[in-house]
């Protein structure tokens, strides 16, 4: 088999109306059970008129591809994870037609890949079933899927229309299943850590499918059940995120948002969808853009003339995304795409104002909530940011062989003089032992003390802020990035619940016991006892509103303003207001009178147009 002649792909034709053809693979019953994928054959069909087929969603993994299947008597190399799926299906795949990207697309032909990717939205929409293969059973995966079904069931019980009357025995068993020390939590979050959930392509594959099922080992559930489980945990078991978590939670919720937009016909700007799914992973850097071509942003992709082209250099693609977007804009919203630190020797060498979509890094969420449904253009949702009031501006691109600069208009308003460490999202993977819970609490308290010290909140909470408020009143609004602007009376009590708990925890710091892990373990134990008695952690309601703090720093300026600034910010950086910008931005002076763009910021007392003066504006060149 190793010496078998490789399969040769021919060129795919186009149908009479100019539509594409696709390949389908059909597996045949093997003569005997071998534990290997059965032999198959490949046929070509116009996408507009093809037989019923199923699509397969799986994790490719990194090359080399270790599996090999027999197709029309010849060898086709496939990713090892797909090989495992086909071996697992065995006889169950016989006489069924599948669309599987690594087999049905000639991966060596960039033109074919480009045309097929452009039609991926229709390929998955036409599939009768999409099978999501998570891999073989491991790490209590069967228990995890059963727990997902229990969470979905619990969500139904919250609705009076679907609720089932439960016995006391059932309720006690439920409490046991959802307790912190239940193995169900470890199994569930371990399942979400699987490689499939990290892939960029899963978004289209699931969001565009009309019927998706999740298969892990021998256990199968519908995608809807898994999503309902996530919904239940996020909204009704929020406490668990103090001890468990997964980066994939955010990605899965983003996937569901994209799926919802498709089902409701909502349209989004393509680059906002890229922001939403930016933490996903792809082997080919171009897929950080092309993998989302078929979503609610499809028309926007076409409007900005960004089409799948796998022969295009990655740098050119990312430059085209930025330039095309900014040249068609009347505001600077695109500059609110979060930036990451560039490594030494970065081969792309992008200007500071051009996002590197292939480098997810430790990103923060966008202030303008590009990731969320509420930011969709057809909703009434309005953000409380208007740093340059109602001014409009279309940036100018200056390009030569040696540089590409972005010309904007604005003025410097302040200088950063003191900056905290960045609030880093902690690793909550694996089983959360009492010690690990204590370490998480200890680390969060260290961040909290550092932030308070940076802005002198603990030492002088009643100091007068530039807006006329007290420093403490301004600070809690900064912690929620100004999103309390029109709802202060509802959110302020939540903050003071946090402050009340912090008042007790402060004694640990005052007595110099911060490094005594046993003290923090006792605090965790007390918290569990109180939760058992029905008394939740009083911090959680307010902390749930502070997601914008993650991977940002808090900073004080020369004039006494305080704000959330990019992780890349340094003391001495300038705070600038730009025409057409909803938020202040942080920039850094470079040689030749040009400025490095660091990122946007929420600065309390500046971000709602309080000090905007268009007459002060002059030209800024961002390098």
């Amino acid at each position: 088999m190793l010496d078998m002649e490789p399969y040769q792909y021919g060129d795919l034709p186009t149908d009479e109306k100019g539509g594409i053809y696709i390949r389908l693979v059909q597996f045949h019953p093997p003569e005997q059970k071998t534990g290997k994928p059965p032999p198959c054959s490949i046929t070509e069909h116009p996408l507009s008129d093809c037989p019923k087929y199923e699509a397969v969603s799986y994790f490719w993994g990194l090359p080399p591809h270790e599996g090999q299947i027999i197709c029309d008597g010849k060898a086709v190399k496939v990713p090892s994870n797909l090989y495992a799926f086909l071996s697992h299906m065995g006889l169950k795949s016989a006489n069924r037609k599948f669309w599987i990207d690594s087999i049905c697309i000639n991966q060596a032909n960039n033109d074919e890949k480009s045309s097929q990717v452009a039609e991926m939205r229709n390929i998955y929409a036409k599939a009768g079933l999409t099978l999501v293969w998570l891999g073989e059973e491991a790490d209590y995966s069967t228990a995890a899927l059963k727990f997902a079904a229990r969470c979905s069931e619990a969500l139904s019980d919250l609705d009076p229309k679907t609720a089932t009357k439960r016995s006391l025995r059932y309720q006690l068993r439920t409490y046991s299943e959802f307790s912190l020390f239940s193995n169900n939590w470890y199994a569930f979050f371990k399942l979400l850590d699987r490689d499939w959930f990290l892939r960029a392509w899963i978004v289209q594959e699931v969001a565009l499918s009309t019927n998706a099922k999740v298969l892990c080992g021998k256990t199968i559930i519908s995608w809807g059940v898994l999503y309902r489980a996530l919904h239940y945990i996020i909204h009704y078991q929020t406490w668990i995120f103090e001890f468990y978590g997964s980066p994939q939670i955010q990605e899965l919720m983003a996937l569901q948002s994209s799926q919802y937009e498709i089902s409701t016909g909502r349209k989004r700007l393509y680059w906002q969808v890229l922001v939403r799914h930016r933490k996903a992973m792809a082997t080919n850097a171009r897929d950080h853009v092309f993998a989302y071509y078929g979503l609610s942003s499809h028309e926007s992709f076409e409007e900005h003339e960004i089409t799948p082209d796998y022969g295009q250099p990655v740098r050119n693609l990312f430059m085209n995304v930025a330039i095309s977007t900014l040249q068609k804009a009347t505001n600077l919203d695109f500059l609110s795409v979060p930036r990451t630190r560039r490594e030494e020797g970065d081969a792309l060498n992008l200007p500071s104002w051009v996002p590197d979509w292939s480098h997810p890094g430790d990103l923060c969420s966008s202030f303008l909530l590009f990731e969320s449904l509420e930011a969709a253009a057809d909703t009434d949702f309005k953000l409380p940011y208007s740093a340059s009031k109602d001014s409009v501006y279309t940036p100018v691109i200056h390009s030569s062989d040696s540089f590409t600069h972005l010309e904007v208009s604005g003025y410097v308003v302040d200088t950063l003089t003191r900056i905290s460490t960045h609030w880093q999202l902690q690793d909550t993977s694996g089983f959360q032992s009492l010690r690990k819970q204590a370490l998480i609490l200890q680390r969060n308290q260290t961040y909290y003390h550092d932030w308070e010290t940076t802005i002198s909140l603990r030492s002088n909470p009643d100091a007068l802020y530039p807006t006329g408020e007290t420093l403490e009143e301004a600070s809690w609004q900064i912690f929620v990035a100004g999103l309390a602007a029109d709802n202060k009376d509802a959110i302020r009590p939540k903050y003071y619940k946090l402050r009340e708990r912090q008042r007790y925890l402060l004694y640990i710091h005052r007595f110099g016991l911060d490094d005594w892990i046993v003290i923090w373990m006792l605090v965790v134990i007390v918290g569990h006892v109180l939760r058992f008695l029905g008394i939740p952690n009083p911090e959680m309601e307010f902390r749930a509103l502070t997601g914008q703090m993650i991977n940002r720093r808090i900073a004080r300026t020369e004039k006494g303003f305080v704000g959330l600034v990019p992780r890349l910010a340094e003391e001495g950086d300038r705070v600038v207001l730009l025409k057409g910008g909803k938020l202040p931005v942080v920039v850094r002076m470079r040689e030749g009178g040009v400025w490095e763009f660091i990122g946007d910021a929420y600065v309390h007392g500046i971000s709602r147009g309080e000090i905007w003066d268009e007459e002060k504006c002059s030209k800024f060149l961002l390098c």
Side-chain angles (χ1 to χ4, degrees):
M1 182 175 176
L2 292 175
D3 298 327
M4 187 174 294
E5 182 182 350
Y7 185 88
Q8 298 295 321
Y9 288 91
D11 292 334
L12 282 170
T14 55
D15 63 25
E16 296 176 354
K17 297 180 180 180
I20 71 163
Y21 269 62
I22 64 170
R23 299 184 183 93
L24 296 178
V25 56
Q26 180 172 337
F27 294 89
H28 308 297
E31 296 181 359
Q32 58 183 359
K33 191 172 182 179
T34 63
K36 298 179 180 179
C40 63
S41 58
I42 292 177
T43 53
E44 298 174 352
H45 308 269
L47 179 59
S48 59
D49 184 27
C50 58
K52 292 182 179 180
Y53 64 91
E54 301 167 39
V56 181
S57 177
Y58 61 98
F59 173 67
W60 270 56
L62 297 173
H65 302 315
E66 298 174 353
Q68 185 170 284
I69 62 173
I70 302 174
C71 192
D72 293 325
K74 298 180 181 179
V76 176
K77 290 184 178 181
V78 298
S80 57
N81 199 37
L82 175 61
Y83 185 86
F85 167 78
L86 297 175
S87 300
H88 173 86
M89 292 293 288
L91 288 171
K92 290 181 285 188
S93 65
N95 300 319
R96 294 160 68 179
K97 290 182 172 63
F98 294 91
W99 187 87
I100 304 173
D101 55 3
S102 63
I103 300 175
C104 297
I105 298 177
N106 181 1
Q107 300 298 320
N109 186 328
N110 282 334
D111 290 338
E112 181 178 306
K113 283 171 63 177
S114 300
S115 64
Q116 293 279 296
V117 166
E119 291 293 333
M120 204 79 81
R121 61 199 310 263
N122 295 318
I123 293 173
Y124 275 93
K126 283 180 174 289
L129 172 68
T130 295
L131 280 171
V132 173
W133 170 247
L134 297 184
E136 299 288 0
E137 181 179 355
D139 299 315
Y140 307 100
S141 56
T142 299
L145 294 179
K146 289 180 179 178
F147 183 60
R150 285 285 294 111
C151 291
S152 178
E153 188 178 82
L155 183 63
S156 297
D157 284 346
L158 294 172
D159 186 345
K161 296 179 182 179
T162 57
T164 302
K165 189 175 181 179
R166 304 297 187 183
S167 66
L168 177 61
R169 181 180 178 184
Y170 180 92
Q171 294 177 38
L172 290 173
R173 181 166 66 88
T174 297
Y175 181 82
S176 174
E177 288 176 331
F178 285 92
S179 71
L180 174 64
F181 296 102
S182 168
N183 194 53
N184 288 329
W185 292 115
Y186 169 78
F188 184 78
F189 284 104
K190 191 68 176 176
L191 182 78
L192 297 187
D193 284 340
R194 292 204 174 207
D195 292 331
W196 181 85
F197 293 99
L198 293 168
R199 292 183 59 234
W201 279 106
I202 70 168
V203 181
Q204 276 201 150
E205 293 167 358
V206 173
L208 295 168
S209 298
T210 56
N211 180 21
K213 294 188 180 296
V214 179
L215 179 63
C216 187
K218 296 180 180 179
T219 308
I220 188 169
I221 64 170
S222 74
W223 174 261
V225 167
L226 181 60
Y227 173 69
R228 282 171 56 82
L230 283 169
H231 181 85
Y232 176 72
I233 292 169
I234 289 169
H235 293 282
Y236 300 101
Q237 297 287 340
T238 309
W239 62 272
I240 196 62
F241 294 109
E242 189 173 6
F243 309 108
Y244 278 93
S246 170
Q248 282 72 274
I249 287 283
Q250 184 177 347
E251 280 303 298
L252 287 171
M253 295 307 296
L255 189 160
Q256 190 62 24
S257 294
S258 288
Q259 191 171 35
Y260 176 79
E261 286 172 354
I262 290 171
S263 66
T264 57
R266 294 191 181 195
K267 305 300 181 184
R268 291 296 296 271
L269 291 172
Y270 79 103
W271 57 269
Q272 294 182 359
V273 174
L274 301 188
V275 174
R276 171 188 287 168
H277 298 290
R278 195 170 175 190
K279 294 182 180 179
M281 306 298 289
T283 303
N284 189 323
R286 300 167 187 82
D287 286 335
H288 288 281
V289 176
F290 299 150
Y292 312 108
Y293 184 76
L295 299 176
S296 58
S297 52
H298 181 66
E299 292 180 7
S300 179
F301 266 104
E302 293 185 330
E303 178 188 346
H304 288 82
E305 300 178 348
I306 305 295
T307 56
D309 178 2
Y310 283 87
Q312 183 179 20
V314 175
R315 186 181 190 277
N316 289 9
L317 172 62
F318 293 170
M319 289 291 293
N320 288 344
V321 167
I323 292 173
S324 174
T325 300
L326 289 167
Q327 286 180 334
K328 286 181 169 60
T330 57
N331 58 49
L332 301 183
D333 286 2
F334 185 75
L335 294 185
S336 285
V337 175
R339 266 58 178 176
T340 56
R341 186 176 298 279
R342 287 168 174 75
E343 304 294 337
E344 292 294 330
D346 181 3
L348 294 180
N349 192 29
L350 295 167
S352 62
W353 48 274
V354 176
D356 181 352
W357 301 102
S358 66
H359 191 284
D362 293 326
L363 289 166
C364 53
S365 299
S366 64
F367 282 124
L368 300 186
L369 305 184
F370 300 137
E371 302 86 349
S372 67
L373 285 170
E374 287 81 1
D378 60 344
T379 71
D380 295 327
F381 182 80
K382 299 297 181 185
L383 288 163
Y385 308 132
S386 54
S388 64
K389 294 189 176 179
D390 56 356
S391 65
V392 296
Y393 187 77
T394 298
V396 179
I397 312 295
H398 297 282
S399 186
S400 71
D401 293 337
S402 57
F403 66 84
T404 304
H405 291 162
L406 182 72
E407 180 184 323
V408 291
S409 179
Y411 60 98
V412 174
V413 296
D414 216 339
T415 302
L416 302 183
T417 56
R418 192 168 183 181
I419 300 181
S420 73
T421 56
H422 74 280
W423 195 299
Q424 187 174 5
L425 191 65
Q426 296 185 62
D427 177 18
T428 54
S429 60
F431 179 73
Q432 298 298 293
S433 65
L434 181 61
R435 178 179 175 80
K436 191 169 183 179
Q437 296 170 50
L439 288 169
I440 291 171
L441 177 60
Q442 180 189 43
R443 183 75 176 274
N444 283 338
Q445 286 302 122
T446 300
Y447 288 143
Y448 193 83
H449 294 322
D450 178 54
W451 280 44
E452 282 191 331
T453 302
T454 299
I455 60 177
S456 304
L457 178 58
R458 187 181 305 152
S459 61
N460 200 6
D462 296 324
L464 199 62
Y465 192 76
T467 58
E469 305 163 285
T470 64
L471 177 60
E472 182 155 54
E473 179 71 7
S475 294
W476 72 260
Q477 296 176 68
I478 295 164
F479 293 157
V480 296
L483 294 178
D486 301 318
N487 199 20
K488 293 181 184 179
D489 291 340
I491 297 178
R492 186 184 289 107
K494 301 179 190 296
Y495 168 73
Y496 280 101
K497 286 183 180 179
L498 176 145
R499 289 294 287 164
E500 186 65 27
R501 183 171 188 253
Q502 286 297 322
R503 189 170 289 114
Y504 293 110
L505 295 178
L506 185 59
Y507 286 106
I508 297 174
H509 182 70
R510 284 176 175 170
F511 292 136
L513 302 176
D514 304 71
D515 296 331
W516 290 43
I517 192 63
V518 67
I519 299 294
W520 298 108
M521 291 172 72
L522 288 172
V523 174
V524 171
I525 290 171
V526 170
H528 289 319
V529 171
L530 291 175
R531 193 178 70 82
F532 179 79
L533 296 174
I535 305 172
N537 183 340
E539 289 192 12
M540 291 306 293
E541 280 189 289
F542 185 77
R543 281 174 54 186
L545 304 173
T546 60
Q548 299 285 7
M549 290 166 51
I550 301 300
N551 284 320
R552 284 195 172 91
R553 304 176 190 270
I554 199 164
R556 195 176 186 97
T557 73
E558 192 172 48
K559 296 178 182 178
F561 289 101
V562 176
L564 295 179
V565 299
R567 178 181 175 181
L568 308 183
E570 299 174 357
E571 292 180 3
D573 288 345
R574 310 298 176 84
V575 178
V576 174
L577 290 179
L578 296 177
K579 193 175 179 180
K582 291 185 175 67
L583 288 158
V585 300
V586 178
V587 297
R588 187 173 301 153
M589 175 63 81
R590 292 302 186 197
E591 293 181 5
V594 296
W595 298 83
E596 179 183 355
F597 180 74
I598 305 301
D600 64 351
Y602 171 75
V603 181
H604 192 65
I606 295 179
S607 299
R608 303 195 76 183
E610 295 94 334
I611 63 171
W612 172 248
D613 185 350
E614 191 166 331
E615 293 184 359
K616 294 182 179 179
C617 291
S618 60
K619 182 170 69 174
F620 271 75
L621 285 180
L622 303 180
C623 61

